[in-house]
Amino acid sequence: MPELPEVETTLRGIESYILNKKITSFIVREASLRWAVPTKLIKSKLLNNSFSNITRRGKYLLLESRNENLIIHLGMSGSLRIAENRDLKKHDHIDICFEDDTTLRYCDPRRFGCFLWTDNPEFHFLLKDLGPEPLGNSFSGEHLFKQSRKRKMPIKNFIMNSKIVVGVGNIYASEALFAAGIRPSYKAGRVTRKKYDLLAQEIVRLLRKSIEQGGTTLRDFVSGNNQPGYFKQSLMVYGREGEECYICDSTIKGLRIGQRASAYCPTCQVSL
Ligand SMILES: [Zn+2]
């Protein structure tokens, strides 16, 4: 699943190709994404206009045009790319074409992504309840500590909750908990302030590192400018159940928290 670094990488990859260019067509071959694509509305807003800015909120891309925004989410398996030719691949559901023949193409095999339109992103139902950006100024150990008091949910679910902080998916949650030495199943309300400071630092460090490298190793990801989206980030626990811990040689254990596969080192990640 594309996580925050992949979305940020996509933003950086596509913006120079599409900003301030006149949009000549909006083609939807498959409108049934997670929510039906409002094709007519988006077409009427985009045709003969251009995108003046692209920003990211959590894992949502906001493409601004005349003070309104196209909201794009990549879902479980979506990707945006600058298409070099007219050859369509299976699952290439949407094209936005520009005056210079550049095409921004959306591919999404599992169709959990979205293309929606809003004139006020702050109050849009997908965006209004989102917590702070992990790479922004209002995210800190103190924020996590305050939000977590009296919460019994596992710490891993807590940091993956987008109302608490956006964009911390399974990979980064697993890896940050390893780096901070906290078991994923530990109750959020019992984690100390000191540990939260460390955890917040690790979340930021891992996301930054991954953005620098252009995203993690994700089969489905294609970065915006057609560079390979496969970057070998050394994952310490994610996807390594049954293998040896790189730090202490213990066997990495797997467990399910909620619906998600989790992994941890029983030695490096104590129950506090
Ligand atoms: Zn270990």
Side-chain angles (χ1 to χ4, degrees), residues 178 245 247-248 265 267-268:
F178 176 83
C245 174
I247 306 295
C248 73
C265 170
T267 308
C268 296

Side-chain angles (χ1 to χ4, degrees), residues 32-97:
S32 59
L33 301 184
R34 183 161 182 197
W35 292 278
V37 179
T39 307
K40 273 188 187 165
L41 171 70
I42 296 178
K43 195 180 262 186
S44 71
K45 298 286 188 181
L46 289 184
L47 287 193
N48 296 315
N49 288 317
S50 61
F51 295 118
S52 54
N53 196 19
I54 311 180
T55 52
R56 180 186 56 73
R57 181 73 178 98
K59 296 203 289 182
Y60 295 93
L61 288 171
L62 298 170
L63 286 73
E64 188 181 338
S65 182
R66 297 171 71 98
N67 296 320
E68 300 190 15
N69 286 269
L70 174 63
I71 304 177
I72 302 177
H73 192 281
L74 305 177
M76 307 282 286
S77 59
S79 62
L80 283 166
R81 69 182 192 276
I82 302 299
E84 282 184 331
N85 52 49
R86 302 279 171 198
D87 289 341
L88 277 181
K89 290 186 190 147
K90 202 179 173 188
H91 311 299
D92 281 345
H93 301 315
I94 297 174
D95 283 354
I96 301 176
C97 308

Side-chain angles (χ1 to χ4, degrees), residues 85-137:
N85 52 49
R86 302 279 171 198
D87 289 341
L88 277 181
K89 290 186 190 147
K90 202 179 173 188
H91 311 299
D92 281 345
H93 301 315
I94 297 174
D95 283 354
I96 301 176
C97 308
F98 299 85
E99 56 185 336
D100 63 352
D101 283 340
T102 296
T103 298
L104 179 66
R105 184 162 285 166
Y106 180 71
C107 176
D108 188 357
R110 297 179 66 182
R111 292 194 274 120
F112 275 108
C114 78
F115 266 65
L116 294 173
W117 191 266
T118 181
D119 56 7
N120 197 342
E122 253 181 78
F123 294 98
H124 191 270
F125 75 100
L126 289 171
L127 307 173
K128 65 184 170 60
D129 294 325
L130 294 180
E133 289 288 328
L135 302 178
N137 293 331

Side-chain angles (χ1 to χ4, degrees), residues 172-233:
Y172 297 96
S174 302
E175 294 295 311
L177 286 167
F178 176 83
I182 306 166
R183 276 200 199 184
S185 55
Y186 200 76
K187 288 188 176 75
R190 296 184 63 190
V191 175
T192 62
R193 170 65 200 272
K194 212 174 157 187
K195 277 287 184 189
Y196 271 123
D197 285 344
L198 185 56
L199 182 59
Q201 266 177 38
E202 290 298 335
I203 288 171
V204 171
R205 184 182 65 82
L206 288 163
L207 289 172
R208 286 229 164 98
K209 187 173 144 199
S210 187
I211 290 169
E212 276 167 29
Q213 295 177 340
T216 43
T217 310
L218 287 170
R219 201 179 43 229
D220 295 322
F221 178 68
V222 183
S223 72
N225 58 3
N226 292 324
Q227 296 300 311
Y230 309 109
F231 295 87
K232 294 247 160 68
Q233 166 146 318

